[in-house]
Amino acid sequence: MKIGLDIMGGDFAPKAAVLGAIAAQKALSADQKIVLFGDKAQALPFLTEEGVSPDDFEFVHTTEMIGMGEHGTKSVLQKPNSSISLGFQYLKDGKIDSFASAGNTGAMLVGAIFSVKPVPGVIRPAVATNVPKLKSGFGIMLDVGANADCKPEVLAQFGMLGSLYAEHVYHIQNPKVGLMNLGEEEEKGNVLTQSTFPLLQKSDINFIGNIEGRDLFNDKADVIVCDGFTGNVMLKLAETFYILTLKKGFKDEFFDRFNYEQYGGSPILGVNAPVLIGHGISSPEAIKNMVLLSRTMVETQFVDKIKEAFK
């Protein structure tokens, strides 16, 4: 297994990415290797400081990178030798089994869609994230930013993608799928949610109906379906809880699970290979966990499960 990692993306690159890769490699088996995409000359000093041999990794050297503020589509097209573009080329060619980056989100979305492409039958891939639950564990919410505007058919597919992810990657049996809405009743909501409800009802997943914002952190649903605009607002609000507890000096196990570092990265569900996007401020711990989640997605053959479901 070869896990691709962009070391040029993120606010603290390449140091955070390299240190995260070192930590992750220690948890991998002998037949699992991390392939680093980026400037090898910048990475070597961090390896030396940690007493790690460069031979522990494979390198795809490039000095070109896509900045966090660059336009996603244009940058991928105009910078074919960037770490992100090369990573997706390797993924497309089957030279790596997965690819992850804490870099430009737009470039990662564009790269995934135009290189490995969506699974046949998937209208729009979605970005998923973990949502801590009050009692224990967490649920899955999607979409959280890739699709600000959605059609009912797209939201219905998000329900299937999220259900498959919860079941096969996190081993949640018969996951409960809820549609985020402003009321529990079937007729509540806007045109989008009202039209999506019957589609989810007819699907083969365990759809439990509408849920409200108050249900985000309880056990009512394992998978929360929403458009990317709504999901991104809820995600950013949830992330703030952890920051506020730190500022207030408040220590609590539940709020500690809002720390993004524990989950590493957010997968793009519905494309033909495992692709993960990390937070721009990703620390080495977050990078490590993103790499390990990449491994899990490869080991569980999750993409094959999606292909089978969307035949």
Side-chain angles (χ1 to χ4, degrees):
M1 181 192 301
K2 292 188 176 181
I3 302 170
L5 176 65
D6 168 29
I7 63 171
M8 306 300 283
D11 296 345
F12 307 113
K15 183 176 182 179
V18 174
L19 294 181
I22 292 171
Q25 187 65 48
K26 294 176 182 177
L28 301 181
S29 60
D31 62 339
Q32 299 169 343
K33 201 155 194 175
I34 302 173
V35 182
L36 303 178
F37 291 82
D39 191 335
K40 186 174 182 179
Q42 289 190 44
L44 288 178
F46 302 116
L47 295 174
T48 301
E49 288 176 10
E50 297 297 317
V52 175
S53 170
D55 295 336
D56 289 349
F57 303 92
E58 291 186 23
F59 279 90
V60 178
H61 176 70
T62 179
T63 58
E64 193 170 23
M65 61 171 288
I66 294 175
M68 298 296 277
E70 294 187 57
H71 188 281
T73 304
K74 291 180 181 178
S75 58
V76 170
L77 294 174
Q78 295 172 357
K79 292 185 174 182
N81 292 317
S82 67
S83 53
I84 287 179
S85 298
L86 286 174
F88 278 116
Q89 187 61 51
Y90 269 60
L91 189 62
K92 178 183 177 181
D93 294 341
K95 295 179 180 178
I96 55 177
D97 299 296
S98 65
F99 183 58
S101 172
N104 188 300
T105 299
M108 288 295 290
L109 287 168
V110 170
I113 291 172
F114 287 99
S115 63
V116 294
K117 300 186 179 347
V119 169
V122 173
I123 304 170
R124 298 291 297 272
V127 175
T129 192
N130 292 6
V131 179
K133 295 299 184 178
L134 185 58
K135 290 184 179 179
S136 64
F138 52 84
I140 308 299
M141 180 168 64
L142 73 166
D143 180 55
V144 293
N147 306 278
D149 297 300
C150 294
K151 295 181 179 180
E153 296 79 9
V154 173
L155 281 189
Q157 286 196 350
F158 290 173
M160 183 180 294
L161 288 170
S163 183
L164 290 168
Y165 184 61
E167 179 182 356
H168 295 291
V169 176
Y170 289 114
H171 309 294
I172 301 174
Q173 296 301 315
N174 196 28
K176 298 172 291 186
V177 180
L179 176 64
M180 182 55 66
N181 209 333
L182 48 76
E184 295 182 351
E185 296 82 5
E186 181 176 347
E187 65 275 6
K188 286 289 183 71
N190 55 18
V191 173
L192 174 61
T193 56
Q194 289 175 4
S195 301
T196 301
F197 192 100
L199 298 180
L200 287 169
Q201 265 188 325
K202 295 175 185 176
S203 65
D204 295 329
I205 61 178
N206 182 17
F207 178 57
I208 62 164
N210 289 328
I211 61 172
E212 300 177 85
R214 71 182 73 181
D215 300 313
L216 189 60
F217 306 118
N218 63 29
D219 293 325
K220 190 167 184 179
D222 301 305
V223 177
I224 298 120
V225 174
C226 57
D227 62 84
F229 183 93
T230 302
N232 193 266
V233 171
M234 290 194 292
L235 171 62
K236 296 295 173 57
L237 177 62
E239 288 180 342
T240 305
F241 292 159
Y242 177 67
I243 297 172
L244 291 175
T245 60
L246 292 180
K247 289 183 176 179
K248 292 291 186 179
F250 177 62
K251 187 71 175 175
D252 181 85
E253 184 275 334
F254 171 64
F255 289 109
D256 285 346
R257 287 190 278 118
F258 281 82
N259 183 0
Y260 75 95
E261 293 179 323
Q262 295 187 24
Y263 312 115
S266 298
I268 303 176
L269 304 183
V271 293
N272 280 297
V275 177
L276 284 94
I277 303 173
H279 206 299
I281 59 171
S282 286
S283 64
E285 179 70 13
I287 297 292
K288 180 195 79 172
N289 287 325
M290 180 166 63
V291 170
L292 296 181
L293 178 55
S294 298
R295 176 187 64 177
T296 300
M297 293 184 70
V298 176
E299 286 180 331
T300 57
Q301 299 180 315
F302 173 66
V303 172
D304 291 337
K305 304 296 192 302
I306 294 179
K307 291 178 180 177
E308 183 66 27
F310 278 84
K311 268 186 179 180

